[in-house]
Amino acid sequence: MSRELRLTSHRTRTERPYALVLHAGAGGRVEELSLEDQANYGAGLRRAYEAGERVLESGGTAEEAVCATVAVLEDTPLFNAGRGAALTASGRAELDASVMTGDGRAGAVAVTTRIKNPVYAAQKVMSESDHVLLVAPPEELAVSWGLELVEPEYFVTEARLKQLENVQARQLEASRHGTVGAVALDRAGRIAAATSTGGMVNQADGRVGDTPIIGAGTYARDGIGGVSCTGEGEAFIRGVVAHDIVSRMRYLGQSLEGAVSATFDHELTSRDASGGIIAIDHERNVIIAHNSPAMFAAYRDGNDIVTLT
């Protein structure tokens, strides 16, 4: 029998001609971080939100906004994406990311080890190739696309090394919820979503979760809505969670909140799985929902940027 999990939602509707919401995972804080570092979670979320909002305010596209937002989160070592990502069983950072726009374009990368910002690699797959998903994209291709490369050690932080050590010594339970993402609706009504992750701490080398799987961890459709997910990746893949939410709105006429609640009930809680999502519909309604104990996120409520830490 699956345990009962409580769904917690935060929702708002922006009066601005655009909308943006971001998340930085549905798990708890990294215990191995110093108290000073832990105090910076809110500041990191705010910087990322402001980066995406500047794009939208200046008339940029939803695609540009979500990529700018996620890139800041990837550069912030507090979160499980880019620098500071969770490490595999062998101590490597293997990074996944995806981008989808509401007109049906999508791109994703998995098991990248040298591209500084995987979200931009996913965007390049979408815009510069005939493919949707590339696994371990060659360095030569990344260079030809103008992407910045770093040594694999760039992604590895002392806090994550200590976390891996504690998990392997069975002194700490492995978190299954670390991911970052953003969803935006621009002035022209276009929707986009992007997601990026380092996966689960101590995962098998080569494991790929829901983040780069279009429809599972990321989905967008103009005129309906966009979704970015975080949580137990295998459950999100089996339930095709991001697509399921948008499909409930598209085919059943459910509201954003109703679709999110139904998908959680049928595809996550019933599987004894936990996680969270962020979503925006075509009317600029914003929702943050999770059945995990906590979720890092940011959104605007009136004149204030609200950060959940």
Side-chain angles (χ1 to χ4, degrees):
M1 178 183 295
S2 65
R3 63 185 179 220
E4 291 296 324
L5 296 172
R6 180 170 58 91
L7 177 63
T8 300
S9 300
H10 302 268
R11 54 193 177 276
T12 187
R13 184 182 187 279
T14 176
E15 296 304 319
R16 297 170 184 240
Y18 53 79
L20 174 68
V21 61
L22 68 83
H23 73 80
R29 299 166 183 259
V30 179
E31 295 182 12
E32 292 77 9
L33 286 168
S34 68
L35 292 177
E36 180 180 357
D37 284 334
Q38 291 197 28
N40 292 326
Y41 276 101
L45 295 171
R46 177 177 286 272
R47 282 196 305 274
Y49 191 92
E50 290 172 341
E53 189 172 67
R54 282 195 296 271
V55 173
L56 296 171
E57 181 64 32
S58 64
T61 67
E63 175 191 335
E64 293 167 336
V66 295
C67 289
T69 301
V70 170
V72 173
L73 294 169
E74 290 176 338
D75 291 342
T76 305
L78 298 172
F79 306 121
N80 182 10
R83 186 164 186 264
L87 304 178
T88 69
S90 66
R92 289 161 43 95
E94 296 183 347
L95 310 174
D96 308 333
S98 64
V99 179
M100 185 171 187
T101 57
D103 59 1
R105 297 180 301 123
V109 293
V111 197
T112 67
T113 59
R114 290 204 57 196
I115 298 172
K116 181 175 182 285
N117 289 109
V119 70
Y120 287 137
Q123 185 184 30
K124 288 294 186 180
V125 172
M126 178 176 69
S127 63
E128 303 291 339
S129 81
D130 295 326
H131 311 305
V132 172
L133 172 62
L134 290 182
V135 178
E139 294 175 16
E140 296 81 4
L141 181 60
V143 171
S144 74
W145 283 342
L147 298 172
E148 183 177 354
L149 298 182
V150 294
E151 293 302 317
E153 293 75 20
Y154 163 83
F155 301 107
V156 180
T157 64
E158 287 299 318
R160 289 298 187 181
L161 284 170
K162 184 63 176 177
Q163 181 188 49
L164 178 63
E165 178 184 327
N166 289 338
V167 168
Q168 292 181 335
R170 301 183 183 278
Q171 296 176 359
L172 180 71
E173 184 177 353
S175 171
R176 301 174 62 85
H177 301 95
T179 304
V180 307
V183 182
L185 183 145
D186 61 30
R187 292 173 181 268
R190 295 167 296 207
I191 295 175
T195 314
S196 181
T197 190
M200 302 186 304
V201 60
N202 201 39
Q203 69 180 22
D205 286 19
R207 178 260 182 187
V208 176
D210 65 302
T211 291
I213 307 301
I214 300 301
T218 307
Y219 197 74
R221 181 172 287 274
D222 287 342
I224 307 294
V227 181
S228 175
C229 304
T230 175
E232 299 182 31
E234 283 72 12
F236 279 78
I237 294 172
R238 295 184 187 109
V240 201
V241 166
H243 182 270
D244 192 70
I245 290 170
V246 175
S247 293
R248 287 178 178 276
M249 299 166 65
R250 183 183 182 191
Y251 298 119
L252 300 180
Q254 293 183 346
S255 67
L256 176 60
E257 185 175 6
V260 168
S261 181
T263 296
F264 266 85
D265 287 344
H266 290 281
E267 303 298 344
L268 295 175
T269 302
S270 66
R271 301 178 192 271
D272 198 23
S274 65
I277 69 96
I278 54 173
I280 293 175
D281 69 14
H282 68 290
E283 295 181 331
R284 303 194 305 278
N285 293 303
V286 175
I287 191 166
I288 301 163
H290 59 99
N291 60 6
S292 55
M295 181 149 170
F296 297 119
Y299 62 100
R300 182 173 286 283
D301 188 3
N303 293 325
D304 299 322
I305 297 174
V306 180
T307 60
L308 305 178
T309 60

